Amino acid sequence: MRWTSLCITLSILLALLTISAPAVRGWEQADFEIFDLVDELEKSEGTDVNFYSWLNVSPSASSSDINRAYRKLSLKLHPDKNKKDVTAKEKFARLGKIVAILRDSAKRERYDFFYKNGVPRWRGTGYYYSRFRPGLATVVVFLTVLSGAAQYMVGWINYYQERQKIAGFVADARTNLTQGVPKSQGAPTLGRSYVEVGGRPMRCEVKSDDYIIVYTSNDEEPVHLNTAWIQKPSITSNVFFISWPINTFYKLTGKQPPSPAAESPESSDRDDEPTKKKKKRGKPVAVTGSKIGGRRRAVAKAQN
C-alpha cells in the first residue's frame, strides 16, 4: 500500500510539472526581449499598436525606410524636447530597442512570426523565472505546498479505493449466496458465504451493505471490514508538513494526541442487538388455569 501511495504521489507531481511546462518549443532570450517590448508598447500606446504602426511604416518596409522612420520619431521623442514628460526617457529607450530588433534580420523574422500569430500568453517557466526570480524560501514553500496537496489527494484516492474494495467483497459474497437458491425464494443479501482473496476462497459473513466479516482460518481472528471504520483523510493527519509539527509537539509535551473515535466490531454487534426494556411490575394477582384450544391460558383473578 505504501509503494502504491508513493507511485501515485510521484505520478501526480509529474503530471503537474508536465502541465506547467510550455506546450510549444522553448523560447529563446531574444523572444523574451520581444515579449517585454510588446507588453511595454501596448501598455504605453494601446493594445492595437505594434512595432510597425508606432514607426508609421508597413510590415514590408525596407531597412532604409525603418531608419528614416526612426530618425523622424527619435527627434519627436527626444527627452530634450520633452522635458515636461516624465516618460520621455523611457519612450526614447524603447524606440532604440525596437529599431534594433527590426534592423536585425533574425530578430525581425522572430518578431514577424509573433506579429502574424500573436504573442503567446504562456511564455514558459524560464521567462517568468527570469522576471520574478523567486528566492530559495519561495521555491521551498511552493514545493512543500505542492507535495502536501499531492499527499492529500493520494489520501482521498486510497480512501475511496478501500471503500470500493469492501463493496466488491460484499458483492462477490452476495453473488455466491444466490448459488443453489430457487428464484422463487428471492436472492438472500445477508448470511454466511465465501469470497476469493488472493486466489484463495475464504469463509465470510455479510452483515450489511457496508459490513462483512472474513474468516481467514480457524486459528486466526476474523477480519472485520466496514466502510464506516475507514478513516477519512484530513489535512492534519495526511499532510506531512502539518502532521509532523503536531506529532513533535505531543512527543515533547508528553501529551496524547486526540485519536479519532473508531467503532469496534464488538460495539457494532452490541448495537445491532435489540435493547431489552424492563417491564414495570404491577400489582400481584392470583392466577388460575383454564384450558382453551388445547393450551393452558393464564387468567387473572382479583384478590379481595
Side-chain angles (χ1 to χ4, degrees), residues 164-191:
Q164 291 178 358
K165 185 184 296 184
I166 295 175
F169 285 152
V170 172
D172 294 342
R174 285 178 172 174
T175 301
N176 297 328
L177 274 173
T178 59
Q179 295 181 359
V181 178
K183 294 183 178 180
S184 59
Q185 296 183 4
T189 58
L190 304 177

Short mmCIF file of all heavy atoms in Angstrom, two decimals, residues 164-191:
data_model
loop_
_atom_site.label_atom_id
_atom_site.label_comp_id
_atom_site.label_asym_id
_atom_site.label_seq_id
_atom_site.Cartn_x
_atom_site.Cartn_y
_atom_site.Cartn_z
N GLN A 164 -14.24 0.87 -2.16
CA GLN A 164 -14.59 0.03 -3.30
C GLN A 164 -14.19 -1.42 -3.08
O GLN A 164 -14.89 -2.34 -3.51
CB GLN A 164 -13.94 0.59 -4.55
CG GLN A 164 -14.52 1.93 -5.02
CD GLN A 164 -13.80 2.47 -6.24
OE1 GLN A 164 -12.84 1.88 -6.73
NE2 GLN A 164 -14.25 3.63 -6.73
N LYS A 165 -13.07 -1.62 -2.40
CA LYS A 165 -12.63 -2.99 -2.14
C LYS A 165 -13.63 -3.72 -1.24
O LYS A 165 -13.99 -4.88 -1.49
CB LYS A 165 -11.25 -2.97 -1.48
CG LYS A 165 -10.65 -4.36 -1.28
CD LYS A 165 -9.33 -4.26 -0.53
CE LYS A 165 -8.29 -3.51 -1.34
NZ LYS A 165 -6.98 -3.49 -0.67
N ILE A 166 -14.09 -3.05 -0.16
CA ILE A 166 -15.06 -3.67 0.73
C ILE A 166 -16.39 -3.91 0.00
O ILE A 166 -17.01 -4.98 0.14
CB ILE A 166 -15.26 -2.79 1.98
CG1 ILE A 166 -13.96 -2.72 2.78
CG2 ILE A 166 -16.39 -3.33 2.84
CD1 ILE A 166 -14.03 -1.78 3.97
N ALA A 167 -16.81 -2.94 -0.79
CA ALA A 167 -18.05 -3.11 -1.56
C ALA A 167 -17.93 -4.27 -2.55
O ALA A 167 -18.90 -5.01 -2.78
CB ALA A 167 -18.40 -1.82 -2.30
N GLY A 168 -16.74 -4.46 -3.11
CA GLY A 168 -16.52 -5.60 -4.01
C GLY A 168 -16.60 -6.93 -3.29
O GLY A 168 -17.18 -7.89 -3.82
N PHE A 169 -16.05 -7.01 -2.07
CA PHE A 169 -16.16 -8.24 -1.27
C PHE A 169 -17.62 -8.55 -0.96
O PHE A 169 -18.05 -9.71 -1.05
CB PHE A 169 -15.36 -8.11 0.02
CG PHE A 169 -13.87 -8.21 -0.18
CD1 PHE A 169 -13.00 -7.57 0.70
CD2 PHE A 169 -13.33 -8.92 -1.22
CE1 PHE A 169 -11.63 -7.66 0.53
CE2 PHE A 169 -11.95 -9.01 -1.42
CZ PHE A 169 -11.10 -8.37 -0.53
N VAL A 170 -18.39 -7.53 -0.59
CA VAL A 170 -19.79 -7.75 -0.27
C VAL A 170 -20.56 -8.22 -1.51
O VAL A 170 -21.38 -9.15 -1.43
CB VAL A 170 -20.42 -6.45 0.29
CG1 VAL A 170 -21.92 -6.61 0.45
CG2 VAL A 170 -19.79 -6.10 1.64
N ALA A 171 -20.27 -7.62 -2.66
CA ALA A 171 -20.96 -8.01 -3.89
C ALA A 171 -20.61 -9.45 -4.28
O ALA A 171 -21.50 -10.22 -4.68
CB ALA A 171 -20.59 -7.05 -5.02
N ASP A 172 -19.34 -9.83 -4.17
CA ASP A 172 -18.95 -11.20 -4.50
C ASP A 172 -19.58 -12.21 -3.55
O ASP A 172 -20.02 -13.29 -3.97
CB ASP A 172 -17.43 -11.34 -4.46
CG ASP A 172 -16.75 -10.52 -5.56
OD1 ASP A 172 -17.44 -10.15 -6.53
OD2 ASP A 172 -15.53 -10.25 -5.44
N ALA A 173 -19.61 -11.86 -2.26
CA ALA A 173 -20.21 -12.77 -1.29
C ALA A 173 -21.70 -12.95 -1.54
O ALA A 173 -22.24 -14.06 -1.43
CB ALA A 173 -19.95 -12.25 0.13
N ARG A 174 -22.39 -11.89 -1.91
CA ARG A 174 -23.82 -12.00 -2.19
C ARG A 174 -24.08 -12.79 -3.47
O ARG A 174 -25.08 -13.48 -3.58
CB ARG A 174 -24.42 -10.61 -2.29
CG ARG A 174 -24.61 -9.94 -0.94
CD ARG A 174 -25.18 -8.55 -1.05
NE ARG A 174 -25.53 -8.03 0.27
CZ ARG A 174 -25.95 -6.78 0.49
NH1 ARG A 174 -26.05 -5.93 -0.53
NH2 ARG A 174 -26.25 -6.39 1.72
N THR A 175 -23.16 -12.68 -4.42
CA THR A 175 -23.30 -13.48 -5.64
C THR A 175 -23.20 -14.96 -5.31
O THR A 175 -23.97 -15.79 -5.84
CB THR A 175 -22.22 -13.09 -6.66
OG1 THR A 175 -22.35 -11.70 -6.97
CG2 THR A 175 -22.36 -13.90 -7.93
N ASN A 176 -22.26 -15.30 -4.43
CA ASN A 176 -22.12 -16.71 -4.03
C ASN A 176 -23.27 -17.17 -3.16
O ASN A 176 -23.57 -18.37 -3.09
CB ASN A 176 -20.80 -16.90 -3.29
CG ASN A 176 -19.60 -16.61 -4.17
OD1 ASN A 176 -19.64 -16.84 -5.39
ND2 ASN A 176 -18.52 -16.10 -3.59
N LEU A 177 -23.95 -16.23 -2.47
CA LEU A 177 -25.12 -16.61 -1.67
C LEU A 177 -26.28 -17.09 -2.52
O LEU A 177 -27.07 -17.93 -2.08
CB LEU A 177 -25.57 -15.40 -0.83
CG LEU A 177 -24.90 -15.17 0.52
CD1 LEU A 177 -25.36 -13.85 1.12
CD2 LEU A 177 -25.19 -16.31 1.48
N THR A 178 -26.39 -16.57 -3.73
CA THR A 178 -27.52 -16.91 -4.59
C THR A 178 -27.38 -18.25 -5.28
O THR A 178 -28.32 -18.72 -5.90
CB THR A 178 -27.70 -15.82 -5.65
OG1 THR A 178 -26.49 -15.73 -6.43
CG2 THR A 178 -27.96 -14.46 -5.00
N GLN A 179 -26.19 -18.87 -5.19
CA GLN A 179 -25.98 -20.15 -5.86
C GLN A 179 -26.81 -21.24 -5.18
O GLN A 179 -26.75 -21.42 -3.97
CB GLN A 179 -24.50 -20.53 -5.84
CG GLN A 179 -23.62 -19.59 -6.65
CD GLN A 179 -22.16 -20.00 -6.63
OE1 GLN A 179 -21.80 -20.99 -6.00
NE2 GLN A 179 -21.33 -19.24 -7.31
N GLY A 180 -27.59 -21.94 -5.97
CA GLY A 180 -28.41 -23.04 -5.45
C GLY A 180 -29.69 -22.60 -4.79
O GLY A 180 -30.39 -23.43 -4.21
N VAL A 181 -30.00 -21.30 -4.82
CA VAL A 181 -31.22 -20.81 -4.20
C VAL A 181 -32.28 -20.65 -5.29
O VAL A 181 -32.02 -20.00 -6.30
CB VAL A 181 -30.97 -19.47 -3.48
CG1 VAL A 181 -32.27 -18.94 -2.88
CG2 VAL A 181 -29.92 -19.64 -2.40
N PRO A 182 -33.46 -21.23 -5.12
CA PRO A 182 -34.51 -21.07 -6.14
C PRO A 182 -34.89 -19.61 -6.31
O PRO A 182 -34.88 -18.83 -5.37
CB PRO A 182 -35.67 -21.90 -5.56
CG PRO A 182 -35.05 -22.84 -4.60
CD PRO A 182 -33.87 -22.13 -4.03
N LYS A 183 -35.22 -19.25 -7.53
CA LYS A 183 -35.59 -17.88 -7.82
C LYS A 183 -36.87 -17.46 -7.10
O LYS A 183 -37.08 -16.29 -6.81
CB LYS A 183 -35.76 -17.68 -9.32
CG LYS A 183 -34.46 -17.83 -10.10
CD LYS A 183 -34.68 -17.55 -11.58
CE LYS A 183 -33.38 -17.66 -12.36
NZ LYS A 183 -33.58 -17.39 -13.81
N SER A 184 -37.74 -18.44 -6.83
CA SER A 184 -38.99 -18.11 -6.16
C SER A 184 -38.77 -17.61 -4.74
O SER A 184 -39.59 -16.87 -4.20
CB SER A 184 -39.90 -19.34 -6.13
OG SER A 184 -39.25 -20.43 -5.45
N GLN A 185 -37.68 -18.02 -4.10
CA GLN A 185 -37.39 -17.60 -2.73
C GLN A 185 -36.75 -16.21 -2.65
O GLN A 185 -36.70 -15.61 -1.58
CB GLN A 185 -36.47 -18.61 -2.04
CG GLN A 185 -37.11 -19.98 -1.87
CD GLN A 185 -36.21 -20.94 -1.12
OE1 GLN A 185 -35.13 -20.55 -0.66
NE2 GLN A 185 -36.64 -22.18 -1.01
N GLY A 186 -36.24 -15.72 -3.76
CA GLY A 186 -35.58 -14.43 -3.74
C GLY A 186 -34.11 -14.56 -3.37
O GLY A 186 -33.69 -15.52 -2.71
N ALA A 187 -33.32 -13.62 -3.81
CA ALA A 187 -31.87 -13.66 -3.56
C ALA A 187 -31.58 -13.18 -2.15
O ALA A 187 -31.97 -12.07 -1.77
CB ALA A 187 -31.14 -12.79 -4.58
N PRO A 188 -30.89 -13.98 -1.34
CA PRO A 188 -30.51 -13.53 0.01
C PRO A 188 -29.43 -12.47 -0.06
O PRO A 188 -28.58 -12.47 -0.94
CB PRO A 188 -30.00 -14.81 0.68
CG PRO A 188 -29.52 -15.66 -0.45
CD PRO A 188 -30.42 -15.35 -1.61
N THR A 189 -29.46 -11.55 0.89
CA THR A 189 -28.48 -10.47 0.94
C THR A 189 -27.58 -10.53 2.16
O THR A 189 -26.51 -9.94 2.17
CB THR A 189 -29.19 -9.11 0.93
OG1 THR A 189 -30.09 -9.04 2.04
CG2 THR A 189 -29.97 -8.92 -0.36
N LEU A 190 -28.00 -11.25 3.19
CA LEU A 190 -27.21 -11.37 4.41
C LEU A 190 -27.02 -12.85 4.72
O LEU A 190 -27.85 -13.69 4.38
CB LEU A 190 -27.89 -10.67 5.59
CG LEU A 190 -28.23 -9.18 5.41
CD1 LEU A 190 -28.96 -8.65 6.63
CD2 LEU A 190 -26.97 -8.37 5.15
N GLY A 191 -25.92 -13.15 5.39
CA GLY A 191 -25.66 -14.52 5.79
C GLY A 191 -24.25 -14.94 5.48
O GLY A 191 -23.40 -14.16 5.04
#
